[in-house]
Each structure stands twice: as C-alpha cells, then as structure tokens.
Amino acid sequence: MGGQVTAPGDAATYARPFTRGRLLAGYVGVLAFLVGAVVLSLILGHREHAQPAVGGKYSSTSACLSKFTLQQSGTFVDASGPGSTGGKLRLEHHRLKGHVTCSGGEGAALDVPVPTSEPKTLSGTLNGQAFQATFTEALPPPGASAKKPPKRSGEETFGRLMLAIAAVILAARLVGTALGKIGQPRVMGEVLAGILLGPTLLGAVWPAAKDYLFPADIVPLLSGAAQIGLAFYLFLVGMELDPRLLRVNAARAAFVSNTSVAFPMALGMLVAAPIYRLLAPHKDYLPFALFMGVSMSITAFPVLARILVEKRMLKRPVGALAMASAAIDDVTAWTLLAFATAVASASSSLGWLKVVGLAAAFTIGLVVVVRPLLARIAVAYDEVGYVPQLWIGTIFVGVLLAAYVSRQIGIAAIFGAFVMGLIMPRHAGLTSDVSRRLEDFVTMVLLPLFFVVTGLKTQIGSLNRPILWLLCVLLIGVAVAGKWFGAMFAARWGGMRLRDSAAFGALMNTRGLTELIVLNIGLDLGLISHALFTMLVVMALVTTFMAGPALRLLDPKEELSAPPEEEFRRARLEGPVPETIVPQRSIIVAPQDDTSVDALIALGEPLARSQPARELILVRLVRSSRSAACTPAQSRSRHPTRAPISSASRPSRTSTS
C-alpha cells in the first residue's frame, strides 16, 4: 500500500517505499500530537477570559473628551476624536487605563473601571477628576465608512457603482501584471491591489479619493457582488477538483495532506491561548481557538495550481504530490471551517451538534438526491456538444440555493457552493464548457471586488504599537512552522528526500486567496478582532509571496521542474490533431438495424477503396432525450448549417485510398 511511484524521476525523489507500517505509525504520531495540543489548548484557554466590549462612540461633559470613539482589539483600545484628540489605552483586569491627548493638546491620565457586560456608561477618573461618558452609537461594520450615506437616485447609485468596479478592475489588472513580471502569482497582485485601495495606502495618502470611490452606500453593493463571486468561485474550485489526482500514491497524498493540516491546526490552537487574552473579541474560547487552528492550516489550491503550472512542476513527482495533497487539503479546510462556524453560530453549548447534524444531512442530500439529477447534464452535453441554456440556468440556481441553505443551517454560505461543485459530473468537455462561461467574469470582475472589500477592512495603521508587530511576527512564525515544516516532515516520513521535502513544504505553505476568504468569514462572525484580522492578512500575503523565492533557493537549477523542451513535446502531443484530407466524394451507410451493419460495410468498403478514393460514412440515428431539449432558435444560432446531433450519432468517418 502506498508503494513506490513509477513515474519518471521518482527514484530521485523518494528515498524509500511508504509501507503500511510506516503509514500507520505516522498517523498514530500525528493524531497523538493533535489530540495533545487540542487538550492543552482547552485547558489553558479555559482559564482565560476575553475582555468586555467597549468599542463605540461616546459623549461626555468633559472639556478634554467631549466626543470620542473607542476602537477595540482585545486589550488594545485606541481613542480618537475631533482634532488632535486621541490616545492608546489598555483594557486589563476590567480597567481601561492610559494617557489621552485632549482637544486642547494637553495630556491627561484616564482610569475607568469596565463591568463584565457591555457598558452603556463609562465612569471613572480623567486626570484625577470624575469622568463619565455615555455610549451614543455603535461602530460601523468593518470596511464600511463612518460617514452617513448621501441620498442618491437609482441612476446616480448605479453610476457610482460602475465607477468603483472599473477602478477595482483596472487596479487589479495593473498590479497583477506587475507582480506577474517578478515571478509572483497574478492573483496575489490582485489581492495586493485591493488592499492598497483601502485605508492602508489610498486612504492614508489621498483619503478624499478613497471616500469618493468607495462611499458608504456603495460598499455594501460591492460586498454583495463579491459574495456572489465567492460562491461561484468556490463552485468552480469544487468542480475542477480532479479525483484522478488521488489515484497515484493515494495513501502518501492523504497522509501528507492530513499531516500538513493537523500540524498547523495544533500549533494554531496552542497559540490561541495567549492571543485570546490579548486580541480576542468578546467571544467564547472554543470557537476562537478552532478558527485560529483553521486559519493556520489553509493551503490555497488554485494559487498552488497556478504556481505549479508556471514552474513546470505539475507533471513532476513533487508537484504532482503537492497538487493531490492540496486537493485533499481544500476539502478538509472547508469542512473544518463549516465546523468552526457551526460552533460559533450555535446559540447554546450543545447547539453546534444540531448545526453539524443539519450540515451533514444537507451534504448527504446533495450527494444522494441532487447528484443523480446533475448527471443528466453529461447526457445533454454528449447529445448536443454543449451545455444547453436550460441546464446552465439550473446549475446557477443550484449554486445560489446551496449557498442559501448553508447559511440558513448556520455554516458558511460558500460551503454549499463548494459541495455543489464537488457533485458535478466529472466530464472534461462539460467542465470546460461551464468554466468557460463562468470563469472570466468571476475572476476578472467579481473576485477583485472581494479583494477590495478585504482591503477596506485591512488597516495596517491599526498595528500602531511594537507589541502588535511582535505578535504579527509570532503568528507568521507559527504559520510557517506549522504548515511548511509540518508538510516537510510528512513528505520526509513518506519517503521523499530532504531537498524535495523542503520544496514540497514551501508549496503547501501557500495560503493566498483561500486564507482571505476564511479570515473574512471569521471577522464577519465576530470571531477575530480588527487588529488580529490585519495580522492574519499580512501572514497570508507573506506566506504566499515567499513560495517563489523559497523554490528558487531550494532548486536553483530547476531540477524539480520539467525541462522546457519536454513541456514543448507534451504540448505538441496533447495539442489538437491535424485535420486529415477528406475525399470529395463519400459513401453513406445507413443501416436500419444493427444486424445489417457488417453486410453493408462489406459492400461499401470495396467501392470506397476504388479510384477516386471515397470516404465511408456510417450513420446511425439516435433520438435525443428531453434533457438535451433546446429551442429551435437556439439550435439554429449555434449550428447554422446543421441540426445538433449527439456524439454517438455523428458519422464515423473512415477514409480509405
């Protein structure tokens, strides 16, 4: 089981076979480490308590702080107000302390006790004098503008929305192209463009332009379109996962994938204990720790696939194993995320069991009931050579309904869209046809909107203390140690040589877009604070950008990549077959039943071999099923010179001379 790979070049990659005993011992060790880390995390976290929520807008009668806003990320609280009013405060042991700058420019010491429940009034001392502030308004959602949206007509709103979308697409194309020229995945350039359009760069350098492009009434529209894009993007990811990736070295791929998820998840749950006290919002520890574990264990399957293609590693042992492991990783990650959101959304301590049960029933229902219905799409495709519009509409509606049901159950909406993609028929032509109709619009228009919505939530300026940057570096270190070294250890245990194992770990450390999706879900559910969200976004960018340089350092001679001439030969072999010269005259054989086929061919073949040469065409009538039904107008528009026929009924041509 899990023996040596037989593909060329494997002897240089795998130093020893992956025996059943080695596989079992590896799983026992990984499971013991994961269980031990989870138990230790829960023991440590059980004693910790998140700080009460004090974020919001306040007013007081004090001349120093008459109107001010508190932005909270765990124990770190930033006060801001008109003019130079502001300060950096700490909330520890239910006391809010620190120095603030008053509206007149003078400094003052603030000391306010904070009750366990969310306070409506803050009462304490300011510069030794009695101080009382009243809560007036909640803060806007992350990424939304604090300014009240202006009143616009429908046409004006539409125009501003089109301007925002055009700016996002243009920035994504420019930055994506620029990063592509220096060897980075273009999609990461698009991610970076979205972040630069937010308060991190544009909002800091030219805030008026940022507010004009993304006013308060336009951001929710962008967010809604981005969520639609995410649903269809995850549908495409699920549909394009190829089960054939797992047929070679299935045991090895499953082991290294599971280990590369278990190691970072264990470390993520361990680091959750100290992070919870410092940066967590007012949430229970268990969902927070689960989310930290999931966020550390992500591998971006689409970004990894693009890197492997660009590096010509897809057909090589290291690249093939990385692709198979990332495919398993993807399914595991979305399942774990669904579990984490179920725990976070549960209304009681055991409510998550109900959510998990409903999610399992929903998934089984999709597989048992919906999948056989979708199998008829393959029949329709075979009969007409494309997916009819009726079925395309059915697929779109199915994706949206699956996302809706997932959210109603209490898990992430994109989980339903992803499962919908997984149960699609595995048919190369069908997958290509559906992807062709969806992919360009989703990846060029809708996904960049998600990047800019993420960028509007990301504020590098919120990491305004040395300790916050130290915590950011700590999280990056934990992420790299868990994913890179965890995957490297798993590959090494699976028999891979040291250099190749290190390259495999660098590939699996790619988080990219998938990590950003997970982080946005965590922020929307209130599982992570604003500063922690920014730290994890930085971690996702760093771990993805480091993949290319790490591969160049580990494999400077590109021994893990296919030579360019080999890729050229493969492209020629896999390319379109040149058209043969078809004789001008033909002989059509149209039997009424199968019993007369041989006799008619025996009569027609000598005539076809005579001079001049004739083409022998065998025609068989196949009646179209209702699943391939389309209107006559559609048929004429797609095939102006002939009626649509199935692949089985198309003439089989045999040229003879």
Side-chain angles (χ1 to χ4, degrees):
M1 182 176 183
Q4 293 181 347
V5 186
T6 58
D10 282 13
T13 299
Y14 296 104
R16 55 180 174 269
F18 194 41
T19 62
R20 183 174 300 179
R22 196 168 183 82
L23 172 67
L24 182 60
Y27 269 121
V28 170
V30 170
L31 184 61
F33 177 71
L34 177 61
V35 171
V38 171
V39 171
L40 180 59
S41 174
L42 294 178
I43 292 174
L44 295 175
H46 182 71
R47 298 196 297 259
E48 300 291 347
H49 298 282
Q51 301 299 327
V54 296
K57 297 182 179 180
Y58 293 83
S59 64
S60 74
T61 57
S62 170
C64 176
L65 290 176
S66 57
K67 291 184 178 181
F68 61 97
T69 300
L70 295 181
Q71 294 274 2
Q72 181 185 11
S73 290
T75 64
F76 303 98
V77 181
D78 292 331
S80 60
S84 59
T85 303
K88 299 176 183 178
L89 311 174
R90 288 292 296 269
L91 177 57
E92 294 181 300
H93 308 296
H94 296 280
R95 298 193 74 88
L96 183 63
K97 294 182 178 182
H99 285 80
V100 297
T101 301
C102 300
S103 55
E106 67 277 10
L110 179 70
D111 186 355
V112 177
V114 178
T116 303
S117 59
E118 294 187 16
K120 296 299 181 183
T121 301
L122 296 177
S123 300
T125 61
L126 178 63
N127 215 22
Q129 303 294 322
F131 172 78
Q132 186 173 19
T134 303
F135 179 87
T136 59
E137 187 180 349
L139 296 176
S145 174
K147 298 180 179 179
K148 292 184 178 180
K151 293 183 179 180
R152 309 184 203 270
S153 66
E155 286 297 319
E156 289 175 328
T157 301
F158 177 76
R160 294 296 294 274
L161 177 62
M162 294 302 102
L163 174 64
I165 293 175
V168 171
I169 295 175
L170 178 62
R173 293 292 97 188
L174 291 176
V175 182
T177 301
L179 260 69
K181 292 184 180 298
I182 60 174
Q184 293 291 346
R186 174 178 287 186
V187 67
M188 293 310 298
E190 297 173 1
V191 171
L192 187 60
I195 293 175
L196 296 180
L197 286 175
T200 297
L201 180 64
L202 185 62
V205 176
W206 195 2
K210 179 253 181 186
D211 291 338
Y212 184 81
L213 284 175
F214 308 112
D217 58 331
I218 298 300
V219 172
L221 301 179
L222 293 175
S223 180
Q227 293 301 318
I228 296 174
L230 280 185
F232 281 100
Y233 175 75
L234 265 296
F235 165 74
L236 289 174
V237 171
M239 183 179 65
E240 293 175 357
L241 280 179
D242 191 352
R244 291 176 298 179
L245 292 172
L246 309 180
R247 293 177 184 173
V248 179
N249 271 345
R252 181 181 275 118
F255 172 74
V256 296
S257 174
N258 294 333
T259 304
S260 68
V261 169
F263 261 71
M265 185 165 188
L267 294 184
M269 293 195 69
L270 286 175
V271 81
I275 294 293
Y276 181 71
R277 182 174 59 85
L278 294 173
L279 287 170
H282 194 56
K283 287 284 186 179
D284 292 336
Y285 178 75
L286 178 59
F288 175 81
L290 282 174
F291 182 81
M292 287 297 296
V294 172
S295 66
M296 293 292 165
S297 60
I298 294 296
T299 292
F301 176 77
V303 177
L304 175 63
R306 189 170 301 185
I307 292 175
L308 292 175
V309 170
E310 292 175 356
K311 297 287 185 182
R312 305 188 308 277
M313 297 176 65
L314 197 57
K315 302 295 183 181
R316 290 299 188 180
V318 173
L321 183 64
M323 195 70 172
S325 301
I328 301 173
D329 252 29
D330 226 31
V331 179
T332 306
W334 297 122
T335 304
L336 290 174
L337 179 63
F339 177 70
T341 54
V343 174
S345 303
S347 56
S348 62
S349 58
L350 295 179
W352 63 270
L353 289 174
K354 176 183 176 182
V355 176
V356 171
L358 289 174
F362 171 61
T363 304
I364 294 172
L366 286 177
V367 173
V368 175
V369 178
V370 179
R371 187 179 184 184
L373 296 177
L374 292 178
R376 300 178 65 183
I377 302 177
V379 178
Y381 179 87
D382 285 336
E383 291 182 350
V384 298
Y386 60 92
V387 181
Q389 289 186 3
L390 176 64
W391 279 113
I392 285 289
T394 302
I395 293 171
F396 289 179
V397 171
V399 173
L400 297 174
L401 288 179
Y404 169 76
V405 173
S406 293
R407 194 66 205 99
Q408 291 299 110
I409 288 174
I411 58 178
I414 57 175
F415 178 78
F418 178 71
V419 176
M420 188 73 179
L422 285 179
I423 65 173
M424 283 289 291
R426 287 310 186 253
H427 188 299
L430 184 151
T431 300
S432 177
D433 190 24
V434 176
S435 296
R436 177 179 54 82
R437 300 193 195 188
L438 269 177
E439 191 167 10
D440 285 346
F441 183 71
V442 169
T443 57
M444 292 187 64
V445 179
L446 297 182
L447 269 189
L449 301 184
F450 169 72
F451 300 148
V452 79
V453 169
T454 301
L456 292 173
K457 299 175 184 178
T458 305
Q459 294 186 8
I460 300 297
S462 64
L463 307 182
N464 53 6
R465 313 172 199 219
I467 187 174
L468 293 178
W469 280 106
L470 288 175
L471 291 173
C472 183
V473 173
L474 171 65
L475 291 175
I476 293 174
V478 170
V480 172
K483 197 68 179 182
W484 189 338
F485 292 107
M488 178 179 170
F489 162 77
R492 187 82 175 118
W493 184 263
M496 191 175 282
R497 296 183 183 275
L498 182 60
R499 190 275 309 267
D500 299 348
S501 300
F504 175 81
L507 289 168
M508 296 299 289
N509 194 42
T510 303
R511 286 176 172 83
L513 169 60
T514 308
E515 179 76 12
L516 297 183
I517 297 173
V518 172
L519 297 181
N520 275 274
I521 292 173
L523 185 64
D524 292 340
L525 290 175
L527 291 176
I528 54 177
S529 61
H530 198 268
L532 182 55
F533 172 81
T534 300
M535 293 178 188
L536 293 174
V537 168
V538 173
M539 178 271 291
L541 294 176
V542 170
T543 54
T544 304
F545 285 139
M546 68 191 300
L551 285 175
R552 286 192 290 270
L553 182 64
L554 292 168
D555 186 28
K557 298 181 180 180
E558 296 188 345
E559 296 174 350
L560 300 179
S561 304
E565 56 271 17
E566 181 179 321
E567 286 290 302
F568 178 72
R569 286 195 300 269
R570 181 180 293 114
R572 291 188 61 183
L573 291 174
E574 296 177 355
V577 179
E579 293 187 3
T580 57
I581 299 176
V582 180
Q584 294 182 350
R585 298 183 180 183
S586 303
I587 298 174
I588 296 179
V589 177
Q592 293 184 350
D593 54 69
D594 293 342
T595 58
S596 58
V597 172
D598 293 338
L600 290 175
I601 291 179
L603 289 174
E605 192 169 3
L607 295 174
R609 293 182 181 277
S610 62
Q611 295 297 327
R614 295 172 176 83
E615 184 180 18
L616 186 63
I617 303 176
L618 177 63
V619 179
R620 182 183 180 189
L621 178 64
V622 176
R623 299 186 183 278
S624 297
S625 66
R626 292 185 178 181
S627 62
C630 61
T631 64
Q634 292 171 341
S635 300
R636 288 193 298 271
S637 64
R638 290 182 179 270
H639 303 282
T641 59
R642 60 182 175 86
I645 56 177
S646 71
S647 59
S649 65
R650 289 175 184 163
S652 60
R653 301 174 180 265
T654 307
S655 298
T656 58
S657 57

